[in-house]
Amino acid sequence: MDVREHDLPGVGKKFAVTTNDGDRLTIIIHNSGHREIYFFERGEDYPAYAVRMEDSEARKLGAILGGAFFQPVMAESMDVVFSQLSVEWMKTGSSSPLIGKSLLEARVRERTGASVIAILRSGKAIPNPHPEERIAADDTLMVVGDREQVGRFGDLLRGPGRDG
């Protein structure tokens, strides 16, 4: 990215920015604190879009762009995460020993290492269920963990001596 800085006497500073993809922006920071951002279409001399921001808005936008609110995971890191992560949808059979128990009472996380992150019940989703949420017959549970943890949860859901 190419950034060129220019003094604007009596106004503030101007930054002419060209991204690696060739997009052009001009940012003017006024002595009063407000900012103006201009976006130029390729090959055009006049801006296609302009945004005016107060100082506090510009600082918040800067924090967002700088990653203060969200840090994306790099692709290499995601490959490692997905190779170790297992997400399964498991249906509660009518004879499951977990029916009628809350997630807390069933000690799902403690016993298996897996987490129930959503429940589908009667066509409705219960995302991030509370530990007191009771498991019902015909629930579909979204379970996350590594493969072994999810496998242990499946065993727990089916009960001893049952194969699915």
Side-chain angles (χ1 to χ4, degrees):
M1 182 163 69
D2 181 48
V3 179
R4 296 175 191 228
E5 182 179 329
H6 307 281
D7 285 325
L8 298 175
V11 175
K13 289 221 181 251
K14 171 183 164 185
F15 297 87
V17 178
T18 304
T19 68
N20 293 340
D21 288 338
D23 292 322
R24 291 182 338 159
L25 299 167
T26 295
I27 302 161
I28 298 174
I29 302 177
H30 290 260
N31 291 332
S32 65
H34 77 271
R35 276 72 156 177
E36 295 170 2
I37 304 172
Y38 299 93
F39 174 77
F40 294 81
E41 296 283 353
R42 291 182 194 238
E44 295 295 322
D45 291 330
Y46 295 99
Y49 305 99
V51 176
R52 183 182 189 282
M53 301 179 117
E54 296 300 323
D55 182 68
S56 62
E57 295 171 314
R59 290 183 187 279
K60 188 164 188 177
L61 177 61
I64 291 168
L65 292 173
F69 291 87
F70 171 73
Q71 286 286 331
V73 177
M74 297 303 169
E76 306 87 53
S77 300
M78 289 303 291
D79 290 342
V80 171
V81 169
F82 285 132
S83 70
Q84 299 171 358
L85 181 68
S86 183
V87 179
E88 296 286 337
W89 292 94
M90 298 184 176
K91 184 102 170 162
T92 307
S94 58
S95 61
S96 172
L98 298 185
I99 291 174
K101 291 184 179 179
S102 71
L103 295 171
L104 184 63
E105 290 169 340
R107 299 181 10 247
V108 169
R109 175 92 185 215
E110 179 184 333
R111 292 167 71 186
T112 69
S115 296
V116 176
I117 61 171
I119 299 173
L120 296 180
R121 180 179 296 143
S122 304
K124 295 182 181 171
I126 304 170
N128 195 23
H130 193 274
E132 298 302 324
E133 186 68 43
R134 296 201 176 277
I135 298 169
D138 297 321
D139 278 354
T140 300
L141 310 174
M142 184 179 191
V143 181
V144 65
D146 65 26
R147 287 191 177 126
E148 290 177 10
Q149 292 168 334
V150 171
R152 285 193 298 268
F153 178 82
D155 293 342
L156 180 66
L157 185 65
R158 287 185 293 277
R162 299 190 192 269
D163 294 334

